[in-house]
Amino acid sequence: MKPTSRALTLIPTDPYTSFTSQARPSLLRLARRLCQGDLDLADDIVQDAIVHGFETYASGRLSIGPGLRAWLAKSVTSRYLMSKRKDKRLLKNQDELIASVPAPPQETISESNSLSAKLEEALDDLPEEQRLVVILVDIQELSYQECADSLRVPVGTVRSRLSRARWALALRLAGHLGQTHDRER
Amino acid sequence: MPHPQTKSEPTPKTTSDPCWHTKAAIQRIAAGERTTWRDWYALVHIPRCGQCRHALEAMKTYFQAIQAIKDQGNKTAES
């Protein structure tokens, strides 16, 4: 019963807890970005990932190090994808319910002209698979391989999706800047 | 009658669409990655091509925006 005894000795000053308390804000940001504002779901996903990470750590299959943050980010991503799949299955049987759900108000979109706000806005309009790749590789700084592992797609797919997404976002930002410059003139 | 899958007209190019052969190099240059010998053509071509210059500017803006998002995240984490 080595894992259990190790688990018991972890509380309260174990390295895993202190590591995750530092990593938690960035994991929450990642989850909130993935969930597009569903804060409850994001909190649940992060909590699940940290608990699952603890179990894996306690069983000795995971060690504290640079790879742990990426492992947790991957875990958050796969949990988000699982929740999406579950949602799809539920909604498939409830078409009437979907029709009855009111569309989110357009006014909630930030009117800020800052670059990052515009990028966040454009990011929400991207196809799901491209949005995930941008968040994981460009914002969370996961490697192509780590991103491919968490999305369960080949590295080449990650590269091509990222390239398409970057161009779509860059051209949209450029269009926005062009409009702003025209207005300023 | 044209084949249904045949495009009758090419996709219109926007003002910032780069030439196809510089697309990958422009991303590397804008990201500040080290360019390789394969990028020499792009490095010669971009200053002479208006569309590629605009595309490079657009891609630089994209990476600035990404950096801004990361900075915001770091500030939130610190506070």
Side-chain angles (χ1 to χ4, degrees), chain B:
Chain B
M1 194 174 165
H3 189 276
Q5 285 182 349
T6 312
K7 281 183 183 172
S8 53
E9 285 175 19
T11 315
K13 259 193 164 190
T14 65
T15 46
S16 296
D17 263 349
C19 302
W20 65 269
H21 46 77
T22 57
K23 275 192 167 182
I26 284 176
Q27 284 191 33
R28 281 194 290 274
I29 296 165
E33 289 173 21
R34 208 172 60 174
T35 51
T36 63
W37 62 269
R38 270 181 261 175
D39 299 327
W40 72 269
Y41 179 82
L43 291 169
V44 173
H45 172 84
I46 291 167
R48 297 176 188 182
C49 173
Q51 282 187 323
C52 287
R53 274 204 310 276
H54 283 132
L56 179 60
E57 288 308 312
M59 196 47 81
K60 280 183 180 170
T61 310
Y62 165 77
F63 281 109
Q64 281 170 10
I66 287 283
Q67 192 54 50
I69 287 180
K70 284 186 205 165
D71 292 345
Q72 274 176 7
N74 291 340
K75 273 182 201 162
T76 323
E78 281 165 17
S79 60

Side-chain angles (χ1 to χ4, degrees), chain A residues 25 29 33 114-117 119-120 123 134 138-141 144 162-167 169-171 173-174 177, chain B residues 14 16-18 22-24 26-27 33 55-56 58-59 61-66 68-70 72-74 76-77:
Chain A
R29 275 200 305 281
R33 210 160 258 143
S114 71
L115 265 182
S116 55
L119 183 64
E120 298 260 21
L123 203 53
V134 170
D138 278 351
I139 300 177
Q140 288 294 315
E141 297 178 347
Y144 288 136
L162 183 64
S163 176
R164 274 201 296 276
R166 278 176 176 172
W167 280 117
L169 293 171
L171 297 184
L173 281 180
L177 287 183
Chain B
T14 65
S16 296
D17 263 349
T22 57
K23 275 192 167 182
I26 284 176
Q27 284 191 33
E33 289 173 21
L56 179 60
M59 196 47 81
T61 310
Y62 165 77
F63 281 109
Q64 281 170 10
I66 287 283
I69 287 180
K70 284 186 205 165
Q72 274 176 7
N74 291 340
T76 323

Side-chain angles (χ1 to χ4, degrees), chain A residues 74 136-137 142-156 158:
Chain A
K74 279 195 275 184
L136 292 177
V137 176
L142 257 62
S143 71
Y144 288 136
Q145 188 60 57
E146 286 166 346
C147 178
D149 289 347
S150 56
L151 298 178
R152 291 179 191 157
V153 293
V155 178
V158 170

Side-chain angles (χ1 to χ4, degrees), chain A residues 6-25 27 47 50-51 53-55 57-58 63-64 68 72:
Chain A
R6 188 179 171 190
L8 287 173
T9 56
L10 289 170
I11 304 163
T13 53
D14 69 288
Y16 182 81
T17 311
S18 54
F19 181 87
T20 47
S21 60
Q22 281 175 4
R24 194 180 152 81
L27 291 173
Q47 199 56 38
I50 289 176
V51 169
F54 179 78
E55 285 164 5
Y57 171 73
S63 57
I64 305 293
L68 181 56
L72 286 168

